[in-house]
Amino acid sequence: MSRFAGRTIVVTGSGKQKGLGQAILRRFADEGAHCVVSDLTIDAEALEVAGELRERGAEVETIACDVSDVNQCHALVDAAIARFGRLDILVNNAGIGFMMRPLLEVEPDDWDKVLAVNLSGAFYCTQAAARAMIAGGRGGRIINVASQAAKTGFPHLPAYVSSKHGMVGLTRAAAVELGAHSITVNAVCPNHVTTGLGAQQNDYYSKLLGFDSVEAYLANMARKNPMGRPGLASDTAAACAWLASDDAFYVTGEALNVSGGEEMH
């Protein structure tokens, strides 16, 4: 299937193997999109991600970007357009979720860093991409990778939870203004997905909640989910592909749970 043939997608925070960004790009590469791998640095791991996408038949560019720097966000969009001639889809996936500590122990610098990447970075990239999409005159799709933490609270993650709640607000505000330009803006809210970041959270929360092992923690998580398992990166990638498709043109401002119904328990 090639429903994204000729279209260009930029995914921030996508230079990690076994990461959510890689899974999203893999799905779009398989459906014909030109892919931009972007991360804080383009290191050996990011180059391996790009190599895998090329093996799948995609045209790929790698562009370093610190999303907390507004100028780098605009440079990312400019470089993507210089390479492929257009920008059709932006996925704001860059994020920090590993600063896990009690509320009373969070340092101001840690708070600022998480908000700068997770929320300000999504805003800067959205603004840059939207300007380019409007200039291109073809509309576009902006998808924010939020979290179930965008709709509920979790212990020892005050900055992360706050940033993801803010991302849903950004999604709705941007959708209201950009719809007139045929640009949709949506968020996906996955439950726990065991990526590299997820593995750190598994280790932390299994100990915090008193489980004997990470495996026991994950088994308990699976038991609580109506679908019988935690989320997979491919689940979120599939949701992003649908939101970016023509079928979802009339869907905007939504925060879509990709959770197996976990929040119903």
Side-chain angles (χ1 to χ4, degrees):
M1 188 166 56
S2 56
R3 59 180 165 173
F4 300 116
R7 300 187 192 183
T8 300
I9 180 172
V10 172
V11 181
T12 64
S14 58
K16 300 292 183 289
Q17 295 183 70
K18 299 182 180 180
L20 186 54
Q22 181 191 21
I24 293 168
L25 282 174
R26 186 185 293 129
R27 176 63 183 255
F28 280 85
D30 288 347
E31 298 197 37
H34 303 321
C35 297
V36 176
V37 176
S38 182
D39 219 308
L40 185 61
T41 59
I42 301 302
D43 55 14
E45 188 174 21
L47 292 175
E48 287 192 34
V49 171
E52 185 214 332
L53 296 172
R54 291 189 181 101
E55 289 174 1
R56 291 173 173 266
E59 292 190 41
V60 183
E61 187 62 72
T62 55
I63 305 171
C65 180
D66 176 354
V67 299
S68 68
D69 182 332
V70 62
N71 293 321
Q72 290 193 41
C73 295
H74 284 272
L76 167 63
V77 169
D78 290 344
I81 294 173
R83 172 66 171 84
F84 294 118
R86 57 190 288 171
L87 174 60
D88 302 280
I89 305 155
L90 167 70
V91 179
N92 285 310
N93 174 67
I96 295 175
F98 55 81
M99 292 181 179
M100 295 167 280
R101 61 192 60 167
L103 174 77
L104 299 183
E105 297 177 15
V106 174
E107 297 291 338
D109 286 349
D110 290 343
W111 172 271
D112 290 344
K113 186 173 183 179
V114 172
L115 270 290
V117 173
N118 294 11
L119 186 53
S120 294
F123 169 69
Y124 297 148
C125 288
T126 293
Q127 191 177 61
R131 286 172 175 164
M133 290 171 180
I134 292 169
R138 290 179 294 269
R141 303 286 186 271
I142 298 172
I143 301 168
N144 295 320
V145 178
S147 164
Q148 64 182 146
K151 298 184 177 183
T152 189
F154 287 89
H156 295 205
L157 280 174
Y160 182 80
V161 169
S162 298
S163 70
K164 294 301 184 179
H165 274 68
M167 184 176 271
V168 171
L170 171 62
T171 297
R172 292 171 176 159
V176 168
E177 294 198 40
L178 297 178
H181 303 284
S182 297
I183 299 169
T184 67
V185 188
N186 291 287
V188 289
C189 300
N191 62 347
H192 179 80
V193 179
T194 301
T195 58
L197 169 60
Q200 296 178 50
Q201 293 176 340
N202 291 344
D203 183 66
Y204 185 91
Y205 281 104
S206 63
K207 294 172 182 174
L208 178 67
L209 299 175
F211 287 91
D212 294 334
S213 64
V214 170
E215 291 72 22
Y217 169 69
L218 291 174
N220 181 69
M221 191 182 300
R223 282 193 297 271
K224 294 191 299 182
N225 191 293
M227 300 300 290
R229 64 166 173 80
L232 303 176
S234 58
D235 297 323
T236 301
C240 289
W242 179 71
L243 287 170
S245 74
D246 293 340
D247 289 340
F249 173 76
Y250 204 60
V251 178
T252 194
E254 295 296 330
L256 178 65
N257 292 336
V258 187
S259 63
E262 183 176 324
E263 65 281 347
M264 295 186 295
H265 275 226

